[in-house]
């Protein structure tokens, strides 16, 4: 009889590609992963791992069993979802991730609602970028992720994931109070072709969106500074270091020396939740989505 937890370890190794990655994904030590794999190899009577430089790789038998393990674990997920659905109670644990402004703008209200309405549900949350969130949901490291794309640049979402729209977020251009355009009612992005820009770090989805969007306006942006947090970006703007695009969700306090001006051709961030379709019947997933929708509705009312 194959042990389910050892199959879960093999599946994590196949998905993460390394012992350390599997250990991180399973929240165990690397020695625990190695011990589970050694026991699984004894159970099947064949080597499942082979040395590959300083790391390991799956043998042919390992890849074959890993394929079966993925299907078995998917069926277990479906069984758990069906049992939860039949019981109809929101219990157990749900793991949720979101990009930083969504975590700041939606999580406090959504998690408070879940704790109040479903006290037996344990919620674990974390911040991570949209692409990471989707990968972790696909791998099973997260149950649900709040992600985003833009009206002119979509985020690829693989098959096997369900989606729920939460809200559309309208960003503004942030500039120093002394900027020549600071008193305008609306601006066009091409009017900032000669300005320095403060941006998200290179490689992030929003950085790629910014470069794509500004280049489509006919100019090559001069990225002078990069910062992950919007509050850091606004502090740089207040210091006169350039201009930036800043979303409204989770914005919070704006420094006194910064002016926010809407863009004439409205840009929108589509913010939505994703989860695995094989977990769609879990009451805990539905409750989490409902709580996020409620938090999003509150944000939209406050901005109306």
């Amino acid at each position: 009889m194959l042990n389910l937890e050892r199959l879960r370890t093999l599946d994590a190794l196949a998905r993460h590609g390394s012992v350390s990655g599997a250990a991180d994904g399973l929240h165990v030590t690397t020695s625990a992963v190695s011990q589970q794999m050694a026991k699984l190899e004894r159970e099947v009577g064949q080597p499942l791992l082979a040395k590959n430089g300083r790391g390991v790789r799956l043998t042919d038998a390992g890849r074959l069993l890993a394929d079966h393990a993925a299907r078995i674990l998917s069926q277990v997920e479906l069984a758990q979802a069906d049992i939860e659905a039949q019981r109809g109670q929101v219990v157990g644990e749900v793991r949720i991730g979101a990009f930083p402004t969504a975590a700041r703008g939606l999580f406090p209200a959504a998690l408070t609602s879940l704790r109040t309405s479903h006290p037996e549900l344990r919620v674990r949350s974390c911040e991570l970028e949209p692409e990471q969130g989707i990968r972790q949901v696909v791998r099973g490291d997260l149950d649900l992720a709040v992600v985003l794309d833009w009206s002119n640049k979509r985020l690829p979402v693989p098959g096997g994931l369900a989606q729920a729209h939460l809200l559309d977020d309208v960003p503004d251009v942030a500039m120093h109070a002394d900027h020549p355009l600071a008193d305008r009612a609306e601006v066009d992005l091409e009017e900032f072709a000669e300005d320095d820009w403060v941006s998200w770090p290179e490689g992030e989805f929003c950085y790629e969106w910014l470069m794509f969007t500004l280049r489509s306006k006919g100019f090559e942006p001069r990225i002078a500074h990069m910062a992950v947090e919007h509050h850091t970006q606004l502090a740089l703007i207040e210091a006169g270091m350039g201009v930036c695009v800043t979303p409204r969700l989770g914005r919070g306090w704006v420094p006194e020396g910064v002016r926010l001006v809407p863009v004439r051709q409205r840009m929108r961030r589509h913010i939505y939740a994703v989860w695995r379709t094989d977990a769609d019947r879990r009451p805990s997933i539905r409750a989490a989505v409902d709580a996020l929708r409620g938090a999003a509705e509150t944000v939209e009312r406050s901005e109306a």
Side-chain angles (χ1 to χ4, degrees):
M1 180 69 69
L2 294 172
N3 180 279
L4 186 61
E5 286 308 307
R6 288 165 201 156
L7 290 179
R8 198 180 302 279
T9 302
L10 175 63
D11 177 65
L13 262 170
R15 290 186 285 105
H16 292 277
S18 68
V19 171
S20 60
D24 289 341
L26 295 169
H27 306 290
V28 299
T29 64
T30 54
S31 62
V33 171
S34 298
Q35 290 170 15
Q36 289 283 62
M37 289 304 301
K39 291 176 181 178
L40 185 58
E41 286 182 327
R42 288 197 293 272
E43 285 179 352
V44 301
Q46 293 188 65
L48 302 175
L49 298 177
K51 288 186 177 180
N52 185 28
R54 294 183 178 180
V56 296
R57 62 173 177 83
L58 293 179
T59 63
D60 289 345
R63 285 194 296 271
L64 177 64
L65 186 56
D67 289 341
H68 284 289
R71 291 193 290 271
I72 291 167
L73 293 170
S74 179
Q75 286 299 120
V76 170
E77 182 83 37
L78 283 170
Q80 290 173 333
D82 284 344
I83 291 296
E84 264 191 57
Q86 186 182 50
R87 186 170 49 187
Q89 296 177 334
V90 182
V91 297
E93 179 179 89
V94 63
R95 301 158 298 171
I96 308 174
F99 59 96
T101 53
R104 186 164 58 246
L106 298 178
F107 275 6
L111 301 190
T112 298
S113 173
L114 283 172
R115 184 172 59 187
T116 301
S117 302
H118 309 289
E120 294 186 33
L121 178 67
R122 297 186 306 276
V123 182
R124 291 168 52 193
S125 69
C126 64
E127 283 187 3
L128 72 179
E129 288 303 310
E131 302 96 325
Q132 294 174 296
I134 285 179
R135 284 198 298 270
Q136 291 203 21
V137 170
V138 169
R139 291 197 309 240
D141 299 333
L142 283 177
D143 297 306
L144 182 150
V146 180
V147 301
L148 70 92
D149 57 26
W150 294 81
S151 50
N152 63 337
K153 189 173 178 63
R154 307 312 297 263
L155 179 70
V157 176
L161 296 184
Q163 302 181 33
H165 176 263
L166 299 177
L167 76 157
D168 287 341
D169 188 29
V170 180
D172 302 306
V173 177
M175 64 199 78
H176 192 273
D178 292 336
H179 193 283
L181 303 180
D183 293 328
R184 291 268 295 276
E186 292 181 322
V187 292
D188 292 312
L189 290 177
E190 51 265 37
E191 296 181 88
F192 300 94
E194 301 304 318
D195 285 271
D196 286 342
W197 282 82
V198 178
S199 167
W200 297 271
E202 189 171 356
E204 289 191 7
F205 181 73
C206 285
Y207 169 87
E208 301 297 336
W209 166 82
L210 181 67
M211 298 300 289
F212 170 81
T213 300
L214 297 183
R215 285 168 178 164
S216 73
K217 299 297 180 180
F219 69 94
E220 183 65 25
R222 195 165 57 236
I223 306 296
H225 307 283
M226 295 182 180
V228 174
E229 282 290 335
H230 290 127
H231 290 168
T232 305
Q233 294 180 8
L234 293 178
L236 291 169
I237 301 304
E238 185 182 34
M241 296 298 149
V243 300
C244 74
V245 171
T246 181
R248 296 178 185 178
L249 177 65
R251 180 184 289 166
W253 178 76
V254 177
E256 184 177 345
V258 174
R259 296 293 179 268
L260 303 171
V261 183
V263 179
R264 182 172 287 106
Q265 294 180 333
R266 289 296 177 94
M267 307 174 292
R268 295 187 183 276
R269 297 197 308 172
H270 305 302
I271 297 168
Y272 52 100
V274 297
W275 63 95
R276 295 184 306 282
T277 54
D278 58 14
D280 194 55
R281 292 189 290 275
R282 285 177 56 189
S284 57
I285 295 290
R286 309 311 306 178
V289 172
D290 288 344
L292 288 165
R293 279 177 167 153
E297 288 172 3
T298 300
V299 169
E300 290 182 318
R301 285 196 298 270
S302 69
E303 294 181 354

